Amino acid sequence: MKRLMQPMRQAMADGRLRPLDLALAEWCLRHGGTEPVALAMALVSQAVGAGHSCLWLGEPVTEALSLPEAPPLCEAAEVAQALQESTLVGRPGESRPLILEHGRLYLHRYWQHESRLAERLRALIDHPAEGLALEALGRDGGLFDYAWVDKDETHWQAVAAAVALRQRFSVISGGPGTGKTYTVLRLIRMLVDDALDHDRQPPLIRLAAPTGKAAARMMESVHAGLAGLADGERLRPLLPERAFTLHRLLGLGRYGTRARHDRDNPLTAEAVIVDEASMVDLPLMARLAEAIPMGGRLILLGDRYQLASVESGSVLAEICRCAGMNEFTPAQHQELAPLLQGDAPPAVASRPALADHVVTLQTSHRFSPDSAIGRLAAAVNAGEAERAMTLATASGETRDLELVSAPDPEALAARIADASAALVEATEPEAALAALDAVRLLTATRVGPHGAEAMNRLIHRRLADNHGFDPDRQWFHGRPVIVLHNDYRVGLFNGDTGVCLRGEDGRLRVWFRAEDGLRQLLPTALPEHETVFAMTVHKSQGSEFDHVYLLLPDRDMHVLSRELVYTGITRARQRLTLMAPEATLRAALARTVARTSGLGARLVD
């Protein structure tokens, strides 16, 4: 009994296993499992905690059976035999704690999430939308509008809209400024006009995002985009009045275990459009897909190259990876021929059906061609370390990019405190919230001398010194906060940010931009929260800031990756200060996030 359990207990004491992982191993032993099965259960639990949906038991199998930085605790053959013989391990469709399928070991709940998501997406893929022939969309602003189509270059926004019209499931992927909202607005107009042309009611469309902040930004983008449409005011009353968080849209409770809308009680909607879909984890995406009514559309918007969700799964990235880069089947290529110019990839007969459901937008309109931020993001995304380093080290020649190769936390705290003076000086909520989004320090880690917690303390103290208030005071006029957990009672969600301001009555209130506009709460009414001069890159997803300071640690760490650096860079709207030693930056660019999952195989087989 001690052969494997004692090393696992030591691994937990060293922080290499979580208490939950060890608890599951011990539960396994109490319920008839052998030590090799208990080890496998601990490691699959650890894998889920690290963002994977399963544990891969294929080659090299010995790595799967190892604890981090430790040799394998037992031979692969011994574990394989134990899993085959154990009553705790089932095959697909069986109700057992562990499910073994094609060399992938799942906790039953995550096998269920993955298989049900794939089943629902395949049902949407197998039943294309009816009507809305492309030839009927030649009106002003339609797919063949001159403003959309260039005779020498494919207008991928028009292609994306066409795909979303043809399909019940579609993904529109693109980085900042590539026109995802622009595309969706024109898509919505076509759906509305088609209904009106056929004497039907305009379609009921739902807009949603993973967080309240992302939902608010989605509506801001939609309203701003209406100004660019010749008939925007005609369309305005036909659009959704608000965007919801996915939890609220689905009617999920506080702990996300039961939803009001599911396969038996689907959403009342003809199209559901979800922004920032890269942030949506596997369990939530499965619930969303099952709540789409038969005959409805699910349209996901997001950046395939951003960091995956904090929780398990990398659904958007895996769907995009399996679909390829705008490589359509011959049938769809022929259908879209009027929109595809010579720069478009040719048709590929061997592509899976999924390929016809994903379009990646190519051109960023936020960053000009000579933007150092845009060129750096492209180099990082492509894994071109030398080009990225050249751009970063030449940053003194540009006004939008600065590299600090030897960051000093104290000096950085002083810079952020000076830049945050507008928070303390603001008297109106709108001005304070605008100042909150003007500057943000992003860190790779939460803890450590270069982590968000330490930097928040340093900045808070420096700001207190600058403005003459007690640095030990938790609440003060101008304090920025971020919500850490969903709270349906007050309507705030993980990732929402706000600013504390003193009103004319002398009382402190915290102001937020929420789904339904500005709202205020007393500090005592807030869900769990913390100060947010600095935040992790993971927490910054779905947000944008005028000036981003991106701080990497002074040594390589496993959390560093190409996706993390790319996500941090692309949070900047106008200016980026990259604070990273060259060795750390190179190490980050050499590492990519690879999450183990069977979703792609389920969608393309």
Side-chain angles (χ1 to χ4, degrees), residues 84-101:
Q84 291 290 337
E85 296 173 353
S86 177
T87 58
L88 299 178
V89 181
R91 298 297 180 265
E94 295 182 344
S95 183
R96 305 285 180 88
L98 294 171
I99 299 294
L100 183 61
E101 181 181 23

Side-chain angles (χ1 to χ4, degrees), residues 158-445:
V159 175
V163 167
L165 290 170
R166 295 186 77 237
Q167 311 292 359
R168 295 206 180 280
F169 169 65
S170 57
V171 174
I172 302 175
S173 174
T178 51
K180 295 187 291 293
T181 304
Y182 176 94
T183 303
V184 164
L185 272 175
R186 282 152 180 78
L187 167 65
I188 291 174
R189 180 168 62 181
M190 293 170 199
L191 292 172
V192 168
D193 286 343
D194 180 73
L196 296 178
D197 288 347
H198 292 85
D199 297 322
R200 300 194 308 268
Q201 288 292 320
L204 179 57
I205 297 170
R206 303 278 190 157
L207 304 179
T211 66
K213 179 71 176 290
R217 282 192 57 247
M218 188 181 191
M219 285 311 300
E220 289 171 7
S221 297
V222 166
H223 290 150
L226 285 173
L229 292 177
D231 58 348
E233 290 308 309
R234 175 185 71 86
L235 189 62
R236 189 181 298 274
L238 303 176
L239 288 175
E241 295 182 358
R242 61 190 298 194
F244 294 89
T245 63
L246 286 172
H247 283 79
R248 177 164 288 182
L249 178 73
L250 297 173
L252 276 165
R254 176 182 175 91
Y255 299 104
T257 54
R258 295 183 63 87
R260 184 168 64 253
H261 294 289
D262 53 23
R263 66 166 65 191
D264 298 320
N265 181 32
L267 291 161
T268 304
E270 291 167 74
V272 177
I273 304 172
V274 180
D275 200 9
E276 298 293 348
S278 64
M279 300 170 63
V280 184
D281 59 40
L282 172 63
L284 186 55
M285 190 69 83
R287 291 187 173 99
L288 170 65
E290 289 199 312
I292 301 299
M294 293 303 295
R297 281 182 171 87
L298 173 60
I299 302 169
L300 303 180
L301 313 177
D303 188 343
R304 63 193 292 169
Y305 300 113
Q306 271 190 202
L307 278 170
S309 60
V310 176
E311 304 300 331
S312 62
S314 52
V315 176
L316 185 78
E318 185 155 7
I319 290 172
C320 291
R321 178 183 61 80
C322 293
M325 182 67 72
N326 300 333
E327 297 175 341
F328 304 134
T329 64
Q332 177 153 292
H333 200 278
Q334 182 177 359
E335 180 77 16
L336 301 182
L339 300 174
L340 298 172
Q341 305 305 318
D343 62 326
V348 182
S350 61
R351 297 304 296 157
L354 181 64
D356 287 346
H357 297 256
V358 179
V359 178
T360 301
L361 304 180
Q362 306 290 302
T363 304
S364 173
H365 301 282
R366 179 199 293 179
F367 303 123
S368 64
D370 60 348
S371 161
I373 298 177
R375 286 182 288 147
L376 178 61
V380 168
N381 191 14
E384 298 175 356
E386 292 306 321
R387 179 172 163 231
M389 293 306 307
T390 298
L391 288 166
T393 53
S395 59
E397 303 170 10
T398 71
R399 289 185 295 179
D400 60 340
L401 174 62
E402 173 191 13
L403 174 68
V404 178
S405 57
D408 174 8
E410 289 285 353
L412 175 57
R415 291 180 68 171
I416 302 298
D418 290 343
S420 301
L423 290 172
V424 180
E425 296 165 358
T427 58
E428 297 296 328
E430 278 287 3
L433 290 168
L436 180 61
D437 287 343
V439 177
R440 186 65 51 85
L441 170 60
L442 305 182
T443 65
T445 62

